[in-house]
Amino acid sequence: GEVPRIYVDERQGAILPYIKDCDRKARTGKALFKQLLHPCTVDEFEKTHFQKQALLVKRSHHDDEDDGDGAEFYSSYFTEASLRELLRSKGGLPFLESITLNKIVKTGKKGKRVRRNMNSNLDGTTEVAKEEDVWRRFNDDGCSMRVLHPQRHNAKLLRMIVALEEHFECLVGCNLYYTPPGSQGFAAHYDDVDVFVLQVKGKKTWSLFPSRNEQEVLPLFSSGDFDEEELGKPCEVDLGPGDLLYLPRGAIHRARTDKAGSSLHLTISANHLNTWANLLEDALPEALREATESCPEMRMTPPRGYFRYAGCVNSDQDGAERQRFLQIAEGLCSVVMQHVTAAVGGQETPMDHAADAMNARFQAARAFPLFGKSAAASSGRQQAAEPLEDGSELRLRKSGCARLMVSGDRAVLHHCFNNSASDHASGEERPWANDPKRDARLEFQIDDAPLLEEITKCVKAKRVDAFPCEEGEEDVRREVLTAAVQAGILEVVGGEAEAEAQEGSAKKKQRKK
């Protein structure tokens, strides 16, 4: 219910710059985020607002939505025309998976407001939404249209998502909402993600309610629909074209249009299941195993008879045996927690392995990380058709898009260069086929880990013969590097073969002269 801090963008007719090419050193995302937040700085956002306080950037300074200063701000990425084109997508949009139609209606004598789902065509079919029926539901029935993952169908919007995933270093989602005049599509609720609302067209009033209790601050899972009579007094925020509203994870909200016109906005979401709790969820099982191996007390049998004073039915007891039982358990938990950040047999800790596991999941789900010139096929896996030479120079196609993870006796290189727009944020694990041109990971012997680590750090071009390998293992090195080029992780940027080609080209030009 706290009023968001308001930043006013005074630039006249500003338009969010279209990203023509992405930076190989992963700096594109921050530049785009800076433009989205202007005049709030990225540093100020992270210190003051991130997961703490709502933020509102105002660009709509005029009452006329068509002539407002922010009317074209997001036009480089998405417009109402983009939505209409999206609804005409080849094969259509499946109900529930890609599109939903909802509205809030009053029911009963008390006029309680509830959500009604109308996810069907007028003939009753529920598989794929028909464009003409979607518009009838919108215009005649007053349904709010929600399109899930529009970036899968819109290349310009996908560029924004790619850039923001680069900046946030986590999966970034997107939905669009088109709401008719005088309507509300969803009841008050909170989400399990940080949300950035980008108002593309029209106006919408957002009601922000105070959290009900401490347990619902930064929740791990989204809520159901709330009865507003059970919530505190909200503050109301009006969004116009070009405006941006940031809502921390867990902020209770609902939005509605007035009778003057419809509203189109995008929601950009980040940090789903990206918390300390999720990291510890990965780290604790390993810490428990290591504590069990190193501490004999962990392997002792609990005292005989503890069933009589432990368990739900005995939780109201307060005897000496029960207290002693809980004290031992508390002490053993401390041993486990010490192992969470303790390196056993090396420099790696369970928290390091948990970070690797989180990153591997991110690489598997994120969008293909390149676009523009950097995504050209000539700089990718097609280069592997030519054998690598010792003098060939290689480098990462993009920083932060490949992660080494040790799993048992295997060294695994997770990456996102085989990802496609159609499965972005799908949550589905692709089957592993031991094919560098298709898989989301490359698996090698544990002895290859130093070479794989060097691959992940190879921002500057390096000769093939400069990558580490044991004496007599040069062929293995070439095989691993070739697989990395085939997967699109590395690109060939120079070397003997390229020098020869350049020399041949120069000779041809000389002969023509």
Side-chain angles (χ1 to χ4, degrees):
E2 184 179 356
V3 177
R5 182 173 175 181
I6 299 175
Y7 298 81
V8 179
D9 187 350
E10 299 287 357
R11 297 173 299 176
Q12 299 295 315
I15 295 179
L16 184 65
Y18 182 64
I19 310 172
K20 295 181 179 179
D21 197 13
C22 63
D23 176 53
R24 197 174 55 81
K25 295 183 179 179
R27 295 171 295 194
T28 309
K30 184 174 182 179
L32 176 67
F33 192 51
K34 178 181 177 180
Q35 292 289 334
L36 278 168
L37 292 179
H38 181 84
C40 178
T41 66
V42 174
D43 288 343
E44 186 173 3
F45 169 78
E46 292 177 346
K47 292 176 182 177
T48 305
H49 299 284
F50 180 60
Q51 298 191 340
K52 298 173 185 175
Q53 179 189 22
L55 167 153
L56 173 61
V57 177
K58 291 293 294 181
R59 298 187 176 95
S60 55
H61 312 313
H62 300 160
D63 292 334
D64 188 337
E65 66 178 55
D66 294 323
D67 296 327
D69 295 327
E72 299 296 322
F73 186 75
Y74 300 111
S75 61
S76 296
Y77 294 92
F78 204 84
T79 63
E80 184 180 16
S82 305
L83 168 61
R84 294 181 181 279
E85 182 179 346
L86 195 151
L87 292 176
R88 293 191 291 268
S89 298
K90 185 177 180 180
L93 299 178
F95 279 115
L96 300 182
E97 177 185 333
S98 297
I99 187 170
T100 65
L101 300 168
N102 319 282
K103 66 177 181 178
I104 297 296
V105 298
K106 293 183 178 181
T107 62
K109 295 182 179 179
K110 295 184 178 181
K112 184 178 181 180
R113 300 170 68 84
V114 298
R115 181 173 60 179
R116 176 175 294 173
N117 300 319
M118 303 183 71
N119 299 310
S120 65
N121 295 307
L122 298 184
D123 61 5
T125 57
T126 59
E127 289 75 27
V128 176
K130 298 178 181 179
E131 180 191 2
E132 61 274 15
D133 288 353
V134 170
W135 288 116
R136 287 173 182 168
R137 293 287 193 205
F138 180 86
N139 293 315
D140 300 340
D141 297 333
C143 286
S144 182
M145 187 189 313
R146 176 178 64 172
V147 177
L148 296 85
H149 311 298
Q151 74 277 10
R152 296 179 183 174
H153 310 278
N154 184 291
K156 292 182 178 180
L157 191 55
L158 182 62
R159 290 194 179 201
M160 177 188 289
I161 301 303
V162 169
L164 293 177
E165 285 186 335
E166 170 192 297
H167 175 68
F168 288 116
E169 297 182 307
C170 70
L171 188 67
V172 172
C174 181
N175 289 336
L176 75 80
Y177 298 82
Y178 198 26
T179 305
S183 298
Q184 178 182 336
F186 296 87
H189 66 284
Y190 62 70
D191 296 309
D192 57 358
V193 287
D194 292 293
V195 171
F196 297 87
V197 179
L198 314 184
Q199 187 69 22
V200 176
K201 174 186 177 293
K203 298 178 181 179
K204 206 164 197 179
T205 299
W206 289 71
S207 298
L208 309 181
F209 299 85
S211 295
R212 301 187 303 173
N213 51 58
E214 194 75 13
Q215 288 72 33
E216 292 181 351
V217 175
L218 299 177
L220 295 182
F221 304 100
S222 298
S223 74
D225 293 345
F226 289 126
D227 183 344
E228 292 186 22
E229 293 182 359
E230 301 174 357
L231 301 175
K233 183 179 180 181
C235 74
E236 297 204 333
V237 178
D238 292 326
L239 264 63
D243 291 351
L244 177 147
L245 175 66
Y246 164 70
L247 298 178
R249 176 157 40 95
I252 302 176
H253 61 276
R254 60 124 160 114
R256 67 181 186 276
T257 56
D258 59 28
K259 295 181 179 180
S262 58
S263 162
L264 172 62
H265 78 265
L266 298 168
T267 60
I268 306 297
S269 60
N271 296 309
H272 178 246
L273 298 181
N274 185 27
T275 70
W276 280 104
N278 299 114
L279 265 176
L280 289 169
E281 190 175 17
D282 281 329
L284 284 170
E286 182 181 351
L288 176 60
R289 289 194 300 271
E290 292 184 353
T292 301
E293 291 174 1
S294 63
C295 179
E297 288 79 5
M298 294 288 295
R299 303 192 295 273
M300 292 181 65
T301 300
R304 183 177 60 83
Y306 75 92
F307 289 161
R308 297 194 301 269
Y309 49 79
C312 293
V313 296
N314 301 312
S315 60
D316 58 345
Q317 292 189 27
D318 195 29
E321 288 181 313
R322 176 178 173 82
Q323 292 304 314
R324 175 59 180 161
F325 175 81
L326 295 178
Q327 288 173 0
I328 294 174
E330 183 177 353
L332 294 176
C333 285
S334 297
V335 173
V336 174
M337 293 307 298
Q338 291 171 9
H339 280 76
V340 169
T341 55
V344 179
Q347 298 180 343
E348 300 170 2
T349 70
M351 283 301 288
D352 291 313
H353 296 157
D356 287 339
M358 290 277 281
N359 189 282
R361 289 193 289 269
F362 170 45
Q363 300 299 343
R366 69 187 295 186
F368 178 76
L370 300 171
F371 50 79
K373 294 179 181 178
S374 60
S378 60
S379 63
R381 61 188 61 130
Q382 290 186 1
Q383 296 175 346
E386 297 294 330
L388 295 178
E389 303 173 8
D390 286 347
S392 299
E393 292 188 339
L394 307 175
R395 70 180 180 189
L396 275 175
R397 292 180 73 196
K398 187 172 182 181
S399 180
C401 295
R403 184 78 170 200
L404 173 63
M405 186 173 178
V406 174
S407 180
D409 61 350
R410 305 290 287 174
V412 185
L413 193 58
H414 295 265
H415 68 95
C416 56
F417 291 99
N418 284 332
N419 295 359
S420 67
S422 60
D423 55 27
H424 177 243
S426 67
E428 298 179 2
E429 184 175 352
R430 301 200 305 273
W432 186 66
N434 195 23
D435 182 355
K437 298 179 181 180
R438 294 169 50 195
D439 294 329
R441 67 183 191 271
L442 303 177
E443 293 194 10
F444 300 95
Q445 299 294 329
I446 192 67
D447 294 340
D448 297 321
L451 173 56
L452 296 173
E453 182 178 354
E454 193 65 27
I455 288 173
T456 66
K457 298 177 179 179
C458 187
V459 177
K460 294 184 178 180
K462 177 180 290 192
R463 287 167 55 103
V464 167
D465 55 11
F467 283 85
C469 78
E470 297 291 334
E471 186 176 352
E473 295 291 323
E474 289 80 8
D475 288 344
V476 174
R477 174 177 62 190
R478 185 174 288 105
E479 179 183 336
V480 172
L481 292 175
T482 298
V485 174
Q486 289 177 331
I489 301 170
L490 293 176
E491 62 181 352
V492 179
V493 294
E496 297 165 1
E498 183 173 323
E500 290 175 3
Q502 290 176 350
E503 183 180 353
S505 176
K507 288 180 178 179
K508 286 182 180 179
K509 290 180 179 179
Q510 190 66 32
R511 284 196 296 268
K512 287 181 180 180
K513 291 181 179 179

